[in-house]
Amino acid sequence: MRTRTLTAVAVALVLGLAAGPLTAPAFASPAGVARSTIAAPDADALAAAIAGLPDSDATAALVRVGGTGGSWRGSAGVRDLESGRAADPNALFRAGSTTKVVTAALVLQLAAEGRADLGRPVRDYLPDLIPATYEKVTVRQLLNHTSGIPAADLPGDTFEEWYAHRFDLHTPREMLASATAKEREFEPGARQHYLNINYTVLGLLVERLTGHSYEREAARRILGPLGMRHTYFPGADPRIAGPHNHGYQSVARADGTTELRDVTVWGASESWAAGDMISTTADLERLLKGLFRGQVVPRGQLEEMFTVPADVPGATMSAGLQRYVLDDGTVLWLKTGGRWGYNTFVGGTRDLSRTLVYSVNATDAKGQGMNPVAERVVRTAFDW
């Protein structure tokens, strides 16, 4: 893969994991180009990409590459540093913001059923939760992060502050109240700013329209039908309930040395419908394939997931996904996720000619630079 292409994709992934998506020019075409001839995944190169773990960059990696040219599965590293046992290739992990793919699909299903109008102000559905300041924000603007609603307040800015509050519990309504008590960032529809709060509101919308919990609707409408038997939403439980590989964060000590601190047990209630899902690479691959094949969202509404708002400068996000175009015109549709100790990627070409799902137990999961192990995986998977 050419250096410029890889560097741009790396930036997209870094921002998706750390704070938000890549800022790049908007594209008018919703689908783009996909290669017609796909070579088989390079098994030796993929194995080399994750070899040598654990190291200072990651303690484990689980990778699934698929498509019309064939598939490859691989894992490396350890379950935990204490025992040194080989990483479990079927392990559960914190999937982070890939949760947004499920949330977007739920809302689009409700739109297909005539229960949600994407162009209608969300305040019409949640008048008791959305103040008049945000009366113009539509459901579609929440889906593609153009709402202008700012982030909710959370304690701390540094890792140590976050670590001290890792067991704090947050409710979706509290998060929404915190965010909407502030002035809007911009006029709805004028800009795109990737923030969890948009999908927190969408989770509340799902509950209001169905009369059931977000978790129940996700399980009934998406997880169950797709056979995602190992995916769940932890709620107030900070643990991962099932076999998993531990996550670690590189932390600088006062004496200048570095420790790898175990961050596996960590509450994610502040993310909820935006990022608290726990899953496996096999389940996320099922989600990707089922979604792109039209088995989850009806074709008419599915176009929302492959359409970036062309009238918003720099937009790359659609409903639940991000669009990125490689130098040769190949379009990738993807979603990344980052929690402390865990980086996740799910995506590929729209025609599923090449797909990639990974979980990398990165020691810099909230860092500003792309994790080297994840970068090697992406480089290898899409250089075909």
Side-chain angles (χ1 to χ4, degrees):
M1 182 178 287
R2 286 164 287 183
T3 302
R4 185 166 66 88
T5 299
L6 173 63
T7 302
V9 173
V11 172
L13 297 175
V14 169
L15 294 179
L17 294 169
L22 171 68
T23 299
F27 299 96
S29 169
V33 179
R35 292 182 174 92
S36 58
T37 302
I38 307 298
D42 188 332
D44 291 339
L46 285 164
I50 58 175
L53 301 183
D55 62 16
S56 59
D57 298 315
T59 57
L62 314 177
V63 181
R64 299 175 74 92
V65 179
T68 54
S71 61
W72 183 86
R73 310 285 182 263
S75 62
V78 296
R79 297 189 189 192
D80 62 89
L81 295 176
E82 289 72 23
S83 73
R85 293 179 301 163
D88 183 347
N90 302 310
L92 296 161
F93 53 83
R94 300 193 186 282
S97 285
T98 62
T99 309
K100 292 182 177 70
V101 179
V102 172
T103 304
L106 285 173
V107 173
L108 294 175
Q109 284 185 357
L110 293 171
E113 295 166 8
R115 302 166 77 175
D117 182 340
L118 302 186
R120 187 174 175 181
V122 70
R123 191 168 189 258
D124 289 354
Y125 301 107
L126 302 171
D128 53 323
L129 300 179
I130 305 295
T133 311
Y134 295 97
E135 64 182 356
K136 295 181 180 180
V137 174
T138 67
V139 176
R140 180 175 284 110
Q141 288 165 345
L142 293 169
L143 284 166
N144 62 29
H145 300 279
T146 59
S147 71
I149 301 176
D153 290 326
L154 288 169
D157 297 312
T158 67
F159 168 77
E160 292 295 356
E161 289 172 326
W162 274 90
Y163 187 78
H165 290 276
R166 66 192 184 281
F167 299 133
D168 289 2
L169 294 178
H170 308 273
T171 70
R173 291 188 175 216
E174 289 171 352
M175 300 295 287
L176 178 55
S178 170
T180 56
K182 306 175 190 177
E183 293 293 325
R184 66 188 183 198
E185 289 190 331
F186 48 83
E187 183 72 18
R191 289 172 44 199
Q192 190 171 74
H193 186 190
Y194 177 88
L195 288 174
N196 281 350
I197 191 62
N198 293 299
Y199 277 68
T200 297
V201 181
L202 290 173
L204 289 167
L205 176 65
V206 168
E207 294 194 332
R208 181 64 57 87
L209 294 179
T210 64
H212 301 135
S213 72
Y214 167 85
E215 294 81 3
R216 173 178 169 175
E217 287 300 298
R220 182 177 73 87
R221 291 170 171 268
I222 297 176
L223 308 187
L226 289 178
M228 298 173 65
R229 294 180 292 111
H230 302 291
T231 300
Y232 75 100
F233 303 91
D237 191 345
R239 299 165 297 177
I240 298 176
H244 59 275
N245 302 317
H246 285 224
Y248 296 86
Q249 176 69 22
S250 179
V251 181
R253 297 190 181 101
D255 62 4
T257 61
T258 300
E259 69 166 302
L260 287 180
R261 188 177 302 176
D262 194 321
V263 291
T264 308
V265 181
W266 193 305
S269 61
E270 87 288 348
S271 296
W272 190 49
D276 80 341
M277 186 167 71
I278 289 174
S279 192
T280 66
T281 54
D283 273 8
L284 290 182
E285 189 175 63
R286 291 185 184 96
L287 174 64
L288 176 68
K289 291 180 177 180
L291 186 68
F292 284 24
R293 288 170 177 162
Q295 297 169 346
V296 180
V297 176
R299 292 289 181 181
Q301 287 69 36
L302 185 59
E303 284 304 312
E304 293 283 341
M305 302 193 85
F306 297 104
T307 303
V308 172
D311 57 345
V312 178
T316 63
M317 301 298 296
S318 62
L321 297 173
Q322 181 178 7
R323 184 179 193 262
Y324 190 79
V325 184
L326 301 182
D327 282 353
D328 66 357
T330 300
V331 176
L332 303 181
W333 293 97
L334 59 94
K335 191 69 194 78
T336 55
R339 298 291 305 179
W340 298 107
Y342 300 89
N343 280 357
T344 306
F345 175 104
V346 55
T349 56
R350 182 172 179 176
D351 65 358
L352 297 174
S353 57
R354 177 55 50 90
T355 63
L356 170 64
V357 177
Y358 70 61
S359 170
V360 172
N361 292 67
T363 61
D364 61 345
K366 290 288 186 176
Q368 294 302 308
M370 187 177 184
N371 180 269
V373 177
E375 180 178 337
R376 292 197 299 269
V377 171
V378 172
R379 178 193 292 269
T380 307
F382 292 110
D383 187 17
W384 81 96

